[in-house]
Amino acid sequence: MKKLDQSHRFLFEEHPIRGQYVTLDKSWQEIAQQAGLEGRGLTLLGEAVAAVTLLADTLKIEGSVTLQIRGTGPLGLLVVEANSKQKIRGIARQSSPIEEPMDLQEVFGSDHLVITIKTKGAEPYQGIAPLRGSNFSDALEYYFDTSEQLATQFWLACDRQNVSGMLIQKIPGRTKDDDAWNRVIHLASTVTDEELKTNSLADLLHNLFHEEAVRLFDSRDIGFSCSCSRERTAAMLLTLGKAEADDIVEQEGAISVTCEFCNATYNFDAIDVEQVFSEREAVTPSETTH
Ligand SMILES: [Zn+2]
């Protein structure tokens, strides 16, 4: 039977090729409900969630992967983040209808996507890639083809209840069988969206690669989780500046900040605002001295 909200790694034992599979149910439903999207907007958010979860699972040490697109198109904002602890979150904002023939550049009104990889103890890595194609498999394959990354291909399927995805990646190492990569990709490409979403991974791998020796590793649970907090929101207030924060409190009675990812609301009244800014002064006492 298929398990819910899982990520799996697998390895082609006779070739330097690895794979990953992810299937998201409850965690995706929470993200989808929060986003309030339908149709292609929802599908694109789902594909991005599956793809970023797969990418985060390739991290060898603790860290996170963020995919971000901002533009002037109908889907003007998409941000998806997953970390190596299998926590995911994502948001997209749609302002007008997406016409069917639009490619990704038109959908987002942007010509590039940004992938940020943060790992513990290292400077964040930021990769910017041109947006190509009409779905995230196309766009990410183009990103991997044109960057110094390992050859990687994606299969992504999404509906309101579930997103599932598979990644196949060439890893460093010698192969005796020069055709192995092409053969594995060709076999993987016969998978249907329905099989990706409903089959157990054991069945999926057996159906696709029954002539290859594939080793399946233990699964890992995935959940929706937001990293927002009152402290982080307070830090955001500091960037507004005291004068503007005071203005808002005077006009609205309080500053209310709602997290786009999880809908949590953080309220700061006049006293809270004083406290936030006085704590900051306690940390950095003499910004005005020269
Ligand atoms: Zn949040």
Side-chain angles (χ1 to χ4, degrees):
M1 216 189 89
K2 195 193 127 176
K3 288 198 203 149
L4 304 177
D5 291 286
Q6 298 277 311
S7 129
H8 277 278
R9 301 177 183 188
F10 54 94
L11 187 70
F12 290 83
E13 297 197 284
E14 288 159 4
H15 319 298
I17 300 172
R18 62 196 291 276
Q20 273 169 220
Y21 171 77
V22 63
T23 183
L24 305 172
D25 307 276
K26 193 164 173 291
S27 53
W28 162 241
Q29 289 158 21
E30 283 182 51
I31 291 172
Q33 191 192 6
Q34 187 62 35
L37 296 174
E38 299 197 343
R40 193 146 165 231
L42 184 76
T43 301
L44 287 171
L45 177 61
E47 288 179 359
V49 165
V52 170
T53 309
L54 288 167
L55 286 176
D57 213 18
T58 66
L59 295 177
K60 302 233 167 24
I61 52 173
E62 201 176 317
S64 67
V65 177
T66 308
L67 168 69
Q68 196 176 115
I69 305 172
R70 284 172 198 274
T72 54
L75 205 61
L77 169 74
L78 181 141
V79 186
V80 174
E81 183 188 273
N83 66 28
S84 52
K85 292 178 175 150
Q86 282 74 51
K87 295 297 176 204
I88 57 172
R89 58 180 192 159
I91 187 77
R93 289 266 177 269
Q94 185 172 345
S95 56
S96 57
I98 299 170
E99 309 295 339
E100 202 38 56
M102 285 182 168
D103 63 16
L104 289 186
Q105 289 204 9
E106 294 165 315
V107 168
F108 289 102
S110 169
D111 61 2
H112 66 278
L113 60 84
V114 180
I115 290 186
T116 310
I117 300 172
K118 291 183 192 158
T119 46
K120 209 175 175 182
E123 286 289 303
Y125 163 83
Q126 196 163 71
I128 297 174
L131 263 182
R132 288 285 186 282
S134 58
N135 58 51
F136 274 109
S137 305
D138 296 345
L140 289 166
E141 275 158 33
Y142 188 79
Y143 168 74
F144 277 91
D145 278 351
T146 53
S147 61
E148 76 286 14
Q149 315 261 355
L150 303 167
T152 307
Q153 299 236 5
F154 292 84
W155 291 266
L156 307 168
C158 171
D159 61 32
R160 191 165 274 285
Q161 302 304 320
N162 172 278
V163 290
S164 293
M166 181 168 71
L167 166 162
I168 306 270
Q169 189 169 59
K170 212 183 222 174
I171 51 179
R174 294 175 73 87
T175 177
K176 282 178 280 179
D177 177 354
D178 289 337
D179 192 43
W181 172 254
N182 289 335
R183 191 172 64 244
V184 164
I185 293 304
H186 178 76
L187 291 171
S189 299
T190 63
V191 75
T192 65
D193 284 6
E194 205 47 40
E195 287 167 337
L196 263 185
K197 285 187 291 193
T198 54
N199 284 12
S200 73
L201 182 57
D203 287 347
L204 197 68
L205 294 179
H206 178 77
N207 292 345
L208 293 174
F209 310 116
H210 50 87
E211 285 177 16
E212 308 285 341
V214 179
R215 188 178 358 149
L216 185 57
F217 294 90
D218 285 346
S219 66
R220 308 204 283 169
D221 294 334
I222 295 184
F224 168 78
S225 169
C226 198
S227 55
C228 71
S229 68
R230 189 168 174 86
E231 288 67 37
R232 283 193 177 198
T233 313
M236 222 168 66
L237 287 192
L238 289 175
T239 67
L240 271 184
K242 180 80 163 60
E244 187 162 353
D246 284 343
D247 270 359
I248 299 173
V249 171
E250 198 168 315
Q251 282 165 27
E252 321 260 336
I255 299 176
S256 174
V257 181
T258 301
C259 173
E260 289 185 326
F261 289 102
C262 69
N263 234 2
T265 300
Y266 301 96
N267 288 308
F268 296 85
D269 63 13
I271 294 169
D272 295 328
V273 168
E274 286 301 327
Q275 227 162 27
V276 165
F277 282 89
S278 65
E279 275 165 20
R280 199 267 307 250
E281 274 156 26
V283 180
T284 52
S286 57
E287 266 186 335
T288 50
T289 49
H290 294 276

